[in-house]
Amino acid sequence: MAEVLLKVKDLVKQFDGSTVLDGISFDVRRGEVIVVVGSSGCGKSTLLRCINALEPIQGGSVELGGEPVVHGSKNLAKMRQQIGMVFQSYDLFPHMNVIDNILLAPLKVQKRNKSEVRAEAMELLKRVGLEDRAESYPRQLSGGQKQRVAIVRALCMHPVLLLFDEVTAALDPEMVREVLDVMLDLAGQGRTMIIVTHEMQFARAIADRVLFIDNGKIVEDTDPDTFFENPKSDRAKQFLNIFNFERSK
Amino acid sequence: MNWDFILKYLPLYETAALLTVKIGLIGIALSIAVGFLCAAVLYFKVPVLRQIVIVYIEVSRNTPLLIQLFFIYYALPKVGIGMSAQLCGIIGLAFLGGSYMAEAFRSGLEAVEPIQAESALSLGMQRSQALRYVVLPQAVSISVPAFVANIIFLLKETSVFSAISLMDLMFTAKDLIGQYYKTTESLFLLVVFYLIILLPVSILGSYVERRLRYAGFGS
């Protein structure tokens, strides 16, 4: 088995006294694809935000490659360079075109060579089918195209871990597919990813492991077949039933 | 309309207009600096300074410039702070303009979605880099309409400077009316000169606004 890349231990997150994450512990090994599911408001997105310390935590720890990721710490920016994140809403920078969006962090943060990063960015844009949109501004792109650019932007920093926070939740159905295909492609390349999603079929297809979170706790941590066919907890059964429909006539 | 009168006193208005523009430009430049600092204090919620800035903004925005000028020109010398009328004009304008500029910049900063800064941070940027490359450019462009409106507003406000005997456009017009009773001509010149100063600012402002809109905002 590959080595442990990310170690989340006893993570506690509170907002104004109410506990959103209540002692979350799990490891992610290099090359693993973890899908996090659960009902709205169960803390899935908060978990991702805590992993790259966008939120301060009230207890526990997050370690990436053996080094702690701590909100407000000096080397946080350095740690975050290794963690790529794609958000639900379109987080492209609206005042920059596609290629500048992608190049900004590699050039300003990593001080890499421009022509080299540019070549890499164009290669990745080609891979997601957007090589002809390099000069477009975000407002000229569809939702699905924006998300594909956001993924490329994250990849260009050479992260060792990718976080996807309901990246298709705001998209029209036809556009969901094009974004999910990109993610399936990344999984095929052996990238380490944590994905929060409501697309259950996709979750089953891409996951090595499924984490089911309820009330701020991990209720199930298992392989996708077991989770979708034989969930242990009642709460997971209830949750999965939401996606099943009986014929009405 | 007596055109000979107008031609004769045109140079007086030119001198006065230069004074208005000079005080206006320096005052506005200072307003921008003050506004920027205040907006930064509010945005970063700097303790203590934040309360001071809030009090300043409320005092500045809720008192007329005329009163502020009187205070600086007539009241401050009584406590030992005497200044030339020009300096009073500049400081008065900066005191008034600073708060308007602060509000314009602050609303611009607050209008940028938090997700923008978060995306920048999650790409490994430092807070200062996120501010410089991602938040500020968007905030500035959102602020532009209010910013331009403030500049025009402040230039128009300079017309009260005559009250502390600065020989600006308004002073010149009042002076000529007092001396020669050529009310129509004097006021006509006054209007023309204010338009000469303000129209280019207004036109340039709309041009900049259009350019920024075109540059990819409103995704």
Side-chain angles (χ1 to χ4, degrees), chain A residues 97-100 102-103 106-107 112-125 131 134-135 152 156:
Chain A
N97 63 18
V98 165
I99 193 77
D100 288 339
I102 300 170
L103 296 188
L107 295 185
R112 276 154 63 194
N113 174 287
K114 182 163 182 179
S115 56
E116 172 205 309
V117 190
R118 198 187 157 87
E120 184 190 347
M122 290 309 294
E123 192 54 45
L124 285 166
L125 280 176
E131 70 271 33
E135 307 297 328
V152 169
C156 254

XYZ file of all heavy atoms in Angstrom, chain A residues 97-100 102-103 106-107 112-125 131 134-135 152 156:
211
model
N -7.976 37.017 -18.145
C -8.434 35.997 -19.076
C -7.974 34.617 -18.579
O -7.303 34.506 -17.564
C -7.978 36.298 -20.509
C -6.469 36.288 -20.667
O -5.751 35.746 -19.823
N -5.980 36.890 -21.732
N -8.379 33.597 -19.319
C -8.163 32.222 -18.864
C -6.688 31.942 -18.593
O -6.310 31.456 -17.519
C -8.725 31.233 -19.912
C -8.205 29.818 -19.670
C -10.250 31.252 -19.883
N -5.844 32.293 -19.532
C -4.425 31.929 -19.385
C -3.793 32.696 -18.218
O -2.991 32.153 -17.464
C -3.654 32.125 -20.726
C -2.282 31.450 -20.665
C -3.503 33.576 -21.092
C -2.316 29.964 -20.827
N -4.181 33.958 -18.027
C -3.616 34.730 -16.905
C -4.112 34.183 -15.568
O -3.379 34.193 -14.576
C -3.980 36.214 -17.029
C -3.208 36.876 -18.159
O -2.159 36.327 -18.544
O -3.657 37.925 -18.657
N -4.634 31.110 -14.990
C -3.864 29.902 -14.730
C -2.417 30.239 -14.360
O -1.833 29.631 -13.472
C -3.893 28.976 -15.980
C -5.344 28.580 -16.295
C -3.022 27.743 -15.760
C -5.509 27.882 -17.616
N -1.849 31.255 -15.025
C -0.421 31.546 -14.841
C -0.127 32.334 -13.566
O 0.999 32.309 -13.071
C 0.117 32.341 -16.044
C 0.100 31.629 -17.395
C 0.843 32.458 -18.439
C 0.729 30.257 -17.297
N 1.488 30.223 -10.474
C 2.808 29.661 -10.794
C 3.884 30.745 -10.975
O 5.015 30.561 -10.561
C 2.571 28.902 -12.099
C 1.137 28.531 -12.057
C 0.440 29.671 -11.353
N 3.501 31.877 -11.579
C 4.496 32.928 -11.819
C 4.789 33.721 -10.557
O 5.933 33.984 -10.221
C 4.022 33.877 -12.929
C 3.867 33.271 -14.328
C 3.520 34.359 -15.338
C 5.136 32.550 -14.742
N 8.030 30.603 -11.366
C 8.520 29.715 -12.411
C 8.680 30.459 -13.732
O 8.179 31.557 -13.909
C 7.554 28.531 -12.566
C 7.855 27.430 -11.558
C 6.642 26.606 -11.253
N 6.139 25.900 -12.422
C 4.938 25.331 -12.471
N 4.142 25.389 -11.423
N 4.541 24.711 -13.542
N 9.343 29.825 -14.640
C 9.611 30.393 -15.949
C 8.322 30.496 -16.772
O 7.576 29.530 -16.900
C 10.623 29.486 -16.662
C 10.878 29.896 -18.079
O 10.032 29.702 -18.945
N 12.042 30.473 -18.310
N 8.073 31.690 -17.339
C 6.780 31.947 -17.952
C 6.488 31.041 -19.155
O 5.405 30.468 -19.263
C 6.658 33.415 -18.372
C 5.303 33.727 -18.968
C 4.994 35.194 -19.030
C 3.591 35.387 -19.599
N 3.187 36.768 -19.677
N 7.464 30.924 -20.060
C 7.166 30.159 -21.280
C 6.945 28.686 -20.947
O 6.115 28.020 -21.566
C 8.292 30.334 -22.301
O 9.515 29.960 -21.742
N 7.658 28.228 -19.931
C 7.516 26.830 -19.524
C 6.115 26.572 -18.920
O 5.428 25.622 -19.287
C 8.620 26.513 -18.509
C 8.527 25.172 -17.839
C 9.234 25.199 -16.478
O 10.408 25.636 -16.422
O 8.576 24.816 -15.484
N 5.679 27.471 -18.019
C 4.360 27.292 -17.406
C 3.267 27.455 -18.450
O 2.258 26.754 -18.444
C 4.114 28.328 -16.278
C 2.856 27.962 -15.505
C 5.283 28.416 -15.346
N 3.496 28.398 -19.350
C 2.513 28.644 -20.384
C 2.321 27.400 -21.252
O 1.191 27.014 -21.572
C 2.941 29.845 -21.238
C 1.807 30.441 -22.028
C 2.277 31.505 -22.998
N 1.273 31.613 -24.037
C 0.220 32.403 -23.932
N 0.066 33.171 -22.887
N -0.701 32.417 -24.880
N 3.429 26.790 -21.603
C 3.362 25.576 -22.424
C 2.591 24.489 -21.673
O 1.749 23.799 -22.245
C 4.777 25.104 -22.758
N 2.882 24.368 -20.374
C 2.190 23.365 -19.559
C 0.698 23.673 -19.480
O -0.141 22.784 -19.627
C 2.797 23.340 -18.154
C 2.192 22.242 -17.292
C 2.611 22.347 -15.832
O 3.556 23.102 -15.516
O 1.949 21.684 -15.013
N 0.378 24.970 -19.280
C -1.025 25.372 -19.181
C -1.774 25.065 -20.473
O -2.896 24.553 -20.449
C -1.119 26.864 -18.853
N -1.134 25.335 -21.607
C -1.791 25.093 -22.891
C -2.015 23.592 -23.084
O -3.048 23.172 -23.605
C -0.950 25.666 -24.049
C -0.912 27.181 -24.105
S -2.536 27.989 -24.050
C -3.252 27.445 -25.605
N -1.038 22.817 -22.639
C -1.161 21.362 -22.737
C -2.376 20.874 -21.929
O -3.181 20.073 -22.395
C 0.144 20.746 -22.203
C 0.307 19.272 -22.482
C 0.164 18.930 -23.956
O 0.763 19.658 -24.796
O -0.533 17.967 -24.264
N -2.503 21.407 -20.703
C -3.608 21.001 -19.835
C -4.941 21.510 -20.386
O -5.954 20.802 -20.350
C -3.394 21.551 -18.419
C -2.330 20.819 -17.590
C -1.955 21.629 -16.360
C -2.835 19.437 -17.190
N -4.952 22.743 -20.910
C -6.190 23.273 -21.501
C -6.638 22.386 -22.652
O -7.826 22.131 -22.839
C -5.985 24.711 -21.994
C -6.047 25.807 -20.930
C -5.730 27.164 -21.550
C -7.435 25.846 -20.277
N -8.339 24.515 -25.390
C -7.130 25.217 -25.842
C -7.465 26.463 -26.648
O -6.664 27.388 -26.709
C -6.217 24.274 -26.640
C -6.732 23.850 -28.005
C -7.582 22.583 -27.957
O -8.283 22.379 -26.939
O -7.560 21.803 -28.918
N -8.057 30.161 -24.384
C -7.011 30.708 -23.511
C -7.133 32.219 -23.328
O -6.839 32.751 -22.268
C -5.629 30.351 -24.054
N -7.571 32.903 -24.370
C -7.630 34.369 -24.289
C -9.012 34.856 -23.854
O -9.242 36.061 -23.774
C -7.281 35.001 -25.649
C -5.959 34.516 -26.254
C -4.745 34.880 -25.406
O -4.797 35.947 -24.737
O -3.778 34.107 -25.381
N -7.751 23.216 -14.197
C -6.431 23.393 -14.810
C -5.588 24.356 -13.971
O -4.396 24.140 -13.749
C -6.570 23.918 -16.263
C -5.215 24.363 -16.801
C -7.165 22.846 -17.162
N -1.905 23.362 -12.371
C -0.669 24.013 -12.781
C 0.261 24.309 -11.614
O 1.427 24.632 -11.807
C -0.971 25.287 -13.555
S -0.652 25.071 -15.303
